Amino acid sequence: DPRTSTRILSGLSKHHELDMTLLTLSWHEVNKYELNCYHYNAVIGACAKAGMWTKAMEIFSAVWQSVVECNTTTFNAAISACEKGGQWAKALQFVNLMVQWELEL
């Protein structure tokens, strides 16, 4: 059930369990589970909370290149990760992409 998986990933993220969050995402990918933006949003958010902006960018890049459609929350999580990593220029690039895609800021 996608909602249950989203709740699990979100719960792990809220409890700052980055390793378990990444392991859970990996398990879903290996088992060909259909992932959506909400799953990835939780994982990118967990990376942001852990200060792992490079890992957040790696995951965002994978989402961007996949068939999963990014939403405002996906971009906000990426922007937050950049902010926590002091990557202001990268954060502004995401804001510009949001404007180009006419996503709500």
Side-chain angles (χ1 to χ4, degrees):
D1 174 27
R3 289 183 181 175
T4 302
S5 294
T6 302
R7 281 192 289 266
I8 291 168
L9 288 167
S10 295
L12 290 169
S13 172
K14 286 178 186 170
H15 289 92
H16 302 278
E17 295 288 345
L18 179 59
D19 291 339
M20 283 301 295
T21 304
L22 294 171
L23 185 62
T24 302
L25 176 68
S26 178
W27 181 88
H28 281 85
E29 291 172 337
V30 166
N31 288 288
K32 307 289 187 219
Y33 190 84
E34 187 176 330
L35 297 168
N36 60 41
C37 67
Y38 301 106
H39 298 109
Y40 289 107
N41 294 348
V43 177
I44 294 169
C47 292
K49 288 176 187 169
M52 301 290 294
W53 75 271
T54 54
K55 187 66 176 175
M57 295 302 98
E58 180 183 315
I59 294 166
F60 184 91
S61 180
V63 174
W64 185 263
Q65 295 172 18
S66 74
V67 296
V68 176
E69 188 173 318
C70 298
N71 64 14
T72 300
T73 306
T74 313
F75 278 91
N76 286 337
I79 290 166
S80 177
C82 290
E83 176 228 343
K84 287 179 174 57
Q87 303 299 311
W88 301 106
K90 189 76 172 162
L92 286 173
Q93 288 176 349
F94 284 113
V95 171
N96 287 333
L97 280 173
M98 290 178 75
V99 170
Q100 287 176 2
W101 279 34
E102 299 179 357
L103 292 173
E104 191 176 312
L105 293 176

